């Protein structure tokens, strides 16, 4: 592939490259309220009391360099409420502010819709253009060098032989054609998308990248262009995964920045945990052995291949579960894998200063696979050295019941609060916001997971293994505050919370017939218009298949989630049933949604390895693991699920929870206080009558 230039695209101000217009700090900016008025007018909205409170709180936190958690209900206008003070802070100080989101949807909304309008509205007041950029992981961008030299695991036969073009080959061929046209190389701009296998043929991870000094395509690199744009931006929009990588890795992935705004902060712990997790499988060992075998002449690569088979046998011997003790066969295999991977790395030796790009790419791919193998095996072995209450990591084995994927060994941190405390809160002013941050009426359940101290109290205790690098005695205590700015919705007048107290407690053998009958009665009263949120896909499918209503019922998995939601929104008589992603990802204002039904309290599964390990660790330190882990997770999901009902100030409807434990168990009050303040009833006749009246109007 020939070297090519890449335009600025959506980066910077969307008009010209920020690198060509250096940022200039301005001390004499207009007052904050003038900027807010201009911003609100630009989006065709109006100022709301909650938005005004949030703007002032974010501005104050940035000026005082204190952390802030803000709960801002749907309809508050929280994006503008943090963007405007963030922009003023960045421009006045000549610094960069990072905005991190959990989902691609919000990331794209900020860059494609909110920031262009904000930039246009504020330019006359700021006296210059606002520069912003979107930054994702290197794997999200096409790698021009990999496209040129080929992926290390490409089959020896030509992938694009016209007589043998496969489905994978057609996708990769399309990627090559798209790469000649795209200005950003961003995977999310490719519509329709391609499979993960195809994308990996044209992309590299940060560890596989040759770097600017060695890569012949460095001047045209999409990822490097994005980073150059971000380095000159006032605001950089990224995601929680990138935020975690920046904290975890030895290399810097985000530009120097003064403050971080974390939107969708309720997802922060899960996203950081995911990035900090690793896995090991026989296939990964065989890949490392195959890559090393092309470059290493001694016996170590062959030995590594043999160990891949040993690992497969060792994993087949174990049940899918959390591992509290390391079986001897598996432990010996991990030890041998660690040592043999290290031998292969020594055999690879240093990379020649002048090497063919294809050879360099192959070496880097082999080195990355071997290092991942060695460090993961070492981490798993170390996780069993400490007594159970003091362990930093949890290890578990996963298996597919239908054989769709091979067994794999996983390792994940039991807590990430120490990491966030040291790498985020002690280095940057941080604003955390979401529609759901208070659980049981308090910010502290989530703050504890983030590594923030109790409000007005001492720093939270964390396991010794997590606190090895901390020097708390020499550091100032973290200062933070929490603010709930409310919502523009009149919850008691707009929504009913129905607690089906009369139903039986749910069991493990599917939905009881009483649940199906209750659900059918509610759906008929609502005339469809129902979003069914289930704790498992099994339950969602059972409900869709067995419920007796003469109305269309869609079930997650029948099509892409986005298409199902679109179809549901366009057809008021339709019902949509699904599981976890629907609890948090559906935004359907208007008459198509007037009933949200949750089948049971969404506690984590008892065999969830990470949740159970966290709960046990808290219990061992004298805390209440059930309330801090299981109940907190359930409260968060319940609040997110209930939040699907009212998406505009004119919406009305019912949230129905079929699980009677919400009103009969002691922990029910904690869960209920995490929900919006709907008018509450346990009378099914009252609810059906209300739904019938609502449908008639």
């Amino acid at each position: 592939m020939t070297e090519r230039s890449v335009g600025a695209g959506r980066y910077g101000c969307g008009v010209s490259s920020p690198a060509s217009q250096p940022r200039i700090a301005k001390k004499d900016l207009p007052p904050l309220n003038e900027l807010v008025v201009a911003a609100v007018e630009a989006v065709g909205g109006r100022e709301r009391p909650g938005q005004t409170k949030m703007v002032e709180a974010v501005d104050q936190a940035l000026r005082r360099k204190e952390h802030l958690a803000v709960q801002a209900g749907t309809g508050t206008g929280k994006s503008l409420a943090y963007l405007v003070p963030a922009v003023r802070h960045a421009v006045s100080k000549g610094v960069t502010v990072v905005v991190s989101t959990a989902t691609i949807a919000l990331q794209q909304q900020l860059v494609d819709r909110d920031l262009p309008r904000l930039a246009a509205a504020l330019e006359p007041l700021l006296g210059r253009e606002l520069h912003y950029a979107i930054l994702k992981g290197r794997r999200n961008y096409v790698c021009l060098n990999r496209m040129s030299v080929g992926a290390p695991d490409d089959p020896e036969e030509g992938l694009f032989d016209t007589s043998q073009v496969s489905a994978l080959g057609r996708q990769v061929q399309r990627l090559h054609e798209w790469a000649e046209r795209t200005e950003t190389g961003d995977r999310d701009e490719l519509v329709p998308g391609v499979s993960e296998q195809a994308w990996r043929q044209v992309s590299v991870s940060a560890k596989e990248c040759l770097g600017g000094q060695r890569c012949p395509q460095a001047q045209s690199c999409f990822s490097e262009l994005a980073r150059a744009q971000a380095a000159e931006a006032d605001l950089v929009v990224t995601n929680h995964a990138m935020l975690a990588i920046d904290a975890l890795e030895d290399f810097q992935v985000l530009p120097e920045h003064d403050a971080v705004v974390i939107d969708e902060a309720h997802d922060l712990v899960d996203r950081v945990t995911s990035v900090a997790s690793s896995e090991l499988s026989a296939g990964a060992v065989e890949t490392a052995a195959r890559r090393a075998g092309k470059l290493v002449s001694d016996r170590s690569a062959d030995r590594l291949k043999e160990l891949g088979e040993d690992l497969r046998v060792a994993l087949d011997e174990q049940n899918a579960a959390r591992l509290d003790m390391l079986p001897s066969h598996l432990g010996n295999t991990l030890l041998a894998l660690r040592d043999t991977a290290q031998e292969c790395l020594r055999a690879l030796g240093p990379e020649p200063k002048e090497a063919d790009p294809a050879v360099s790419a192959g070496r880097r791919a082999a080195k990355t696979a071997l290092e991942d193998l060695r460090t993961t095996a070492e981490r798993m072995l170390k996780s069993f050295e400490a007594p159970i209450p003091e362990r930093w990591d949890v290890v578990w084995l996963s298996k597919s019941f239908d054989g769709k994927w091979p067994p794999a060994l996983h390792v994940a941190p039991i807590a990430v609060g120490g990491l966030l405390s040291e790498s985020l809160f002690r280095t940057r002013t941080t604003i955390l916001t979401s529609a759901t941050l208070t659980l049981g009426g308090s910010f502290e359940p989530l703050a504890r997971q983030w590594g923030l101290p109790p409000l007005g109290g001492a720093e939270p205790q964390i396991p010794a293994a997590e606190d090895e690098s901390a020097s708390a005695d020499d550091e100032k205590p973290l200062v933070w505050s929490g603010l709930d700015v409310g919502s523009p919705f009149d919850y008691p007048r707009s929504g009913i919370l129905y607690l089906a107290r009369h139903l039986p407690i749910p069991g493990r053998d599917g939905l009881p017939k009483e649940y199906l009958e209750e659900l059918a009665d509610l759906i008929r009263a609502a005339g469809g218009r129902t979003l069914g949120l289930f704790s498992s896909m099994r339950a969602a499918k059972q409900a869709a298949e067995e419920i007796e209503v003469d109305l269309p019922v869609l079930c997650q998995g029948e099509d892409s989630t986005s298409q199902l939601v679109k179809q549901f929104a366009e057809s008021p008589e339709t019902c949509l049933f699904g599981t976890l992603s629907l609890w948090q990802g559906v935004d359907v204002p208007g008459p198509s949604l007037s009933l949200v039904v949750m089948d049971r309290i969404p506690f984590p599964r008892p065999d969830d390895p990470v949740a159970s390990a966290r709960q046990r660790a808290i219990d061992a330190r004298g805390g209440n693991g059930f309330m801090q882990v299981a109940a907190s997770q359930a409260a968060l999901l319940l609040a997110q699920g209930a939040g699907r009902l009212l998406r505009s100030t004119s919406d009305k409807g019912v949230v129905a929870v079929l699980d009677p434990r919400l009103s009969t168990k002691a922990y029910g009050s904690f869960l209920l206080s995490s929900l919006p303040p709907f008018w509450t009833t346990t009378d099914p006749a009252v609810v059906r009558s209300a739904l019938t009246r609502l449908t008639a109007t």
Side-chain angles (χ1 to χ4, degrees), residues 23 43 45 53 58 74 82 127 129 135 143 145 153 275 277 300 381 521 534 539 567 588 609 624 645 665:
R23 290 175 294 149
V43 300
K53 287 174 63 178
V58 171
T74 303
Y82 64 69
E129 292 176 319
L135 186 59
C143 173
N145 186 62
D153 293 328
V275 170
S277 302
S300 57
L381 288 166
D521 288 343
F534 295 85
Q567 189 175 346
V588 181
N624 187 329
L645 180 66
K665 295 295 184 180

Side-chain angles (χ1 to χ4, degrees), residues 647-687:
R647 308 303 296 177
S648 73
T649 53
S650 60
D651 287 348
K652 296 181 182 297
V654 172
V655 172
V657 183
L658 305 183
D659 190 337
R661 293 175 296 176
L662 193 57
S663 57
T664 62
K665 295 295 184 180
Y667 53 73
S669 59
F670 171 80
L671 301 177
L672 287 171
S673 61
S674 305
L675 297 177
F678 297 115
W679 184 80
T680 304
T681 183
T682 59
D683 189 337
V686 169
V687 173

Side-chain angles (χ1 to χ4, degrees), residues 88-134:
R88 194 178 194 283
H89 178 77
V91 173
S92 65
K93 302 293 184 182
V95 297
T96 296
V97 174
V98 167
V99 176
S100 178
T101 75
T103 62
I104 290 174
L106 182 54
Q107 203 172 355
Q108 298 297 146
Q109 175 187 312
L110 288 172
V111 172
D112 294 338
R113 191 185 72 181
D114 295 347
L115 282 170
R117 292 190 289 183
L118 184 65
L122 298 188
E123 181 181 345
L125 299 173
L126 297 177
R128 69 166 177 83
E129 292 176 319
L130 173 67
H131 301 142
Y132 55 89
I134 188 169

Side-chain angles (χ1 to χ4, degrees), residues 136-188:
K136 304 176 184 179
R138 192 173 292 272
R139 180 69 82 178
N140 286 82
Y141 301 95
V142 160
C143 173
L144 299 176
N145 186 62
R146 172 154 286 189
M147 294 181 69
S148 176
V149 304
D153 293 328
D154 278 351
E156 292 184 5
E157 301 295 330
L159 183 62
F160 302 111
D161 185 340
T162 54
S163 64
Q164 302 180 24
V165 175
S166 62
L168 175 64
R170 287 193 294 272
Q171 289 186 63
V172 177
Q173 194 165 20
R174 178 171 157 246
L175 283 168
H176 278 250
E177 294 167 354
W178 171 73
E180 293 289 348
R181 303 189 305 270
T182 178
E183 292 188 342
T184 67
D186 186 340
R187 180 181 183 177
D188 294 321

Side-chain angles (χ1 to χ4, degrees), residues 248-270:
L248 285 166
E249 299 292 352
D250 295 333
F251 52 87
Q252 184 177 350
V253 297
L254 295 175
E256 289 294 334
H257 53 285
D258 180 71
V260 180
V261 178
I262 300 176
D263 203 342
E264 300 174 305
H266 63 275
D267 262 345
L268 180 62
V269 169
D270 285 347

